[in-house]
Amino acid sequence: MYSFITGPIRKSHFVSLVFVLFILSTVNISAQVSLPERNPFKLTFRGGGLSNNNDQAAQLKSKLEDALPITVNTDYAAIGEVELSADLIRFRGAALNLQVSGLYARPEFKSTGADGIHRVGLTQLEIARANLVIAFNGSDPYTMFELPYHSNKEACIGITGMIIRTEKTTLTPYAKDSLGIKSIHGEYSQALGVTLGWNWRLGESGFVLGINGALMFVINKSHLVTVETEDTSSFSSGVLDFAPRVLTAGIGYHF
């Protein structure tokens, strides 16, 4: 009986067909088990509060004998932050991240003295921030976006630096009439500190909820603002350093 593949040409065609089908099935299986590399970038939006260390307040000494000085400092203020981060180095259970962000707030300046606490000014605060952070999970050997396995939470710890600027500061009538303050003008200020955070991944998505805190310290005694008084004022001028305490929470997306 004559077979369909008895001829030498038809045999070679059959062998070629089997070889092609084998290659295609191998590629298909590989595509099913291979996992795509995660994009290293994450965009985060946060909101929270900001305050300054009370020890950094401007000291306006009284020109009168035996009179108490007054202090001028920023009050608690709401703050917004937009952050872009990138994974620099990835380990199985940890990752080294570089984060850069911009923050904006409108804090009040308040004076504290023998006659109580009074608002003396309103300003705009702009901050450029950079963090170098290690993200890890102590209980799981994988990070939140490790493949093929992952954790749903992570802790973050690192160092943070800020460049701070105040602008468009306006004075209140009390500052001008009662304290003789002529101006509160801002300068660039630098601060260095530590940052801590905790993040939760929302299911299998790329969205992450998180909280973040920063504790800053003044470096090089760089002054944030100068509180300048009139010559006829009962108080001398003073300078205010800025060592902010920041606590924010928000949502981010890993691309």
Side-chain angles (χ1 to χ4, degrees):
M1 185 176 182
Y2 188 80
S3 171
F4 179 73
I5 57 173
T6 53
I9 297 178
R10 290 196 175 96
K11 284 183 179 179
S12 64
H13 289 175
F14 177 76
V15 172
S16 299
L17 178 62
V18 171
F19 179 76
V20 170
L21 291 175
F22 174 77
I23 294 297
L24 291 177
S25 63
T26 302
V27 171
N28 185 48
I29 292 174
S30 175
Q32 292 178 0
V33 299
S34 299
L35 295 171
E37 184 73 10
R38 179 172 65 88
N39 193 303
F41 296 102
K42 181 183 76 168
L43 183 64
T44 302
F45 297 90
R46 296 193 190 98
L50 171 145
S51 66
N52 192 27
N53 190 336
N54 289 332
D55 295 338
Q56 309 301 327
Q59 299 285 334
L60 307 187
K61 297 181 180 180
S62 176
K63 298 177 182 178
L64 305 176
E65 293 186 9
D66 300 328
L68 296 176
I70 65 170
T71 61
V72 174
N73 203 353
T74 55
D75 195 18
Y76 292 94
I79 192 167
E81 179 178 19
V82 179
E83 176 188 278
L84 179 64
S85 67
D87 295 339
L88 298 181
I89 303 175
R90 298 174 183 169
F91 308 99
R92 191 183 72 170
L96 181 66
N97 302 328
L98 176 64
Q99 305 167 346
V100 293
S101 63
L103 300 92
Y104 179 80
R106 297 192 67 195
E108 295 178 342
F109 289 114
K110 288 191 173 181
S111 66
T112 302
D115 60 345
I117 300 175
H118 300 272
R119 188 176 70 170
V120 296
L122 180 67
T123 190
Q124 295 184 14
L125 194 66
E126 300 172 351
I127 300 176
R129 179 182 179 190
N131 306 326
L132 188 62
V133 173
I134 295 178
F136 63 93
N137 191 309
S139 60
D140 296 332
Y142 301 97
T143 59
M144 284 200 302
F145 289 90
E146 186 70 28
L147 298 174
Y149 307 104
H150 66 83
S151 170
N152 284 322
K153 57 187 180 301
E154 68 178 7
C156 302
I157 184 171
I159 58 174
T160 179
M162 294 181 178
I163 298 176
I164 309 155
R165 185 180 72 167
T166 59
E167 64 173 4
K168 298 181 180 179
T169 303
T170 58
L171 300 177
T172 65
Y174 177 84
K176 298 176 182 178
D177 301 335
S178 299
L179 302 181
I181 296 177
K182 179 169 59 176
S183 68
I184 301 178
H185 50 87
E187 301 173 2
Y188 283 98
S189 177
Q190 300 86 40
L192 187 67
V194 295
T195 180
L196 302 170
W198 189 266
N199 298 316
W200 297 268
R201 183 175 177 181
L202 298 181
E204 300 297 317
S205 71
F207 289 96
V208 174
L209 292 176
I211 57 175
N212 180 265
L215 180 64
M216 310 300 296
F217 305 94
V218 174
I219 57 175
N220 298 328
K221 297 300 294 182
S222 55
H223 305 307
L224 174 67
V225 295
T226 299
V227 182
E228 189 174 358
T229 59
E230 301 280 0
D231 294 336
T232 57
S233 172
S234 300
F235 300 93
S236 61
S237 300
V239 292
L240 184 152
D241 292 306
F242 204 56
R245 279 83 169 112
V246 182
L247 181 63
T248 56
I251 186 169
Y253 184 78
H254 285 258
F255 296 99

